[in-house]
Amino acid sequence: MTEPQLVVGAAIVDDLTSPNTLLAARRTEPPRLAGGWELPGGKVEPGEAPVDALHREIAEELGVKIELGEELVGPVDAMWPMASGYRMRVWLARVTDGVPAPIEDHDDVRVLGPGEWLDVSWLPADIPIVRALLNRH
Ligand SMILES: Nc1nc2c([nH]c(=O)n2[C@H]2C[C@H](O)[C@@H](COP(=O)(O)OP(=O)(O)OP(=O)(O)O)O2)c(=O)[nH]1
């Protein structure tokens, strides 16, 4: 049996220890996911370390550099289950250089303020992740 494909995502916040804001990005593809909001990120390539993949994806998708904080450990083998057999690992992250913009794979980004973190139409798999982020502190 093949291993589930690993996806990495960044929960981009304003402060790694006491976050007030969370960045959400709206997907453009594929059609079945377009319009859904997600944590930016993507698939880990063969031989690539997950955190390297996350830095690469965030640079490609949003044009920014990030530093990583804690990993948000998920409920299935420490990962977050998603549709199509994917599993996602998620890290808190903070922008260290640049201003996030929807360069690739997204057509909008929103910085959700306090009380707004559940206000966008997250992809179904992301809702428990956002709830876990809200319950961290
Ligand atoms: N990046 C990301 N993908 C998510 C999230 N939630 C969720 O269900 N997914 C799904 C959507 C996709 O089926 C899969 C990730 O694929 P992707 O399309 O982002 O990966 P990628 O950028 O490497 O894309 P590609 O090269 O294969 O086109 O995981 C999320 O929060 N972030």
Side-chain angles (χ1 to χ4, degrees):
M1 207 175 96
T2 53
E3 289 290 306
Q5 166 89 51
L6 182 60
V7 174
V8 288
I12 300 180
V13 292
D14 55 337
D15 186 297
L16 292 174
T17 47
S18 294
N20 299 295
T21 65
L22 173 65
L23 184 143
R26 192 169 63 190
R27 284 189 76 101
T28 51
E29 288 188 56
R32 120 193 111 78
L33 299 177
W37 294 79
E38 68 172 10
L39 302 177
K43 295 174 192 129
V44 178
E45 292 177 355
E48 190 178 34
V51 296
D52 292 343
L54 189 52
H55 286 287
R56 173 183 55 73
E57 289 282 352
I58 298 304
E60 289 172 2
E61 292 185 353
L62 301 177
V64 297
K65 290 186 184 163
I66 53 173
E67 64 170 342
L68 300 184
E70 276 180 23
E71 181 171 0
L72 186 72
V73 174
V76 178
D77 296 337
M79 295 177 277
W80 297 92
M82 294 183 307
S84 315
Y86 292 119
R87 300 229 176 134
M88 184 158 69
R89 291 179 65 182
V90 175
W91 279 265
L92 290 202
R94 192 179 72 85
V95 174
T96 55
D97 189 16
V99 177
I103 294 173
E104 189 177 288
D105 299 340
H106 302 110
D107 63 2
D108 200 5
V109 293
R110 272 186 66 181
V111 176
L112 305 168
E116 298 177 346
W117 288 22
L118 289 166
D119 285 1
V120 294
S121 298
W122 291 101
L123 295 181
D126 289 49
I127 292 170
I129 301 173
V130 176
R131 288 194 189 285
L133 285 165
L134 282 167
N135 288 336
R136 279 180 76 247
H137 49 95

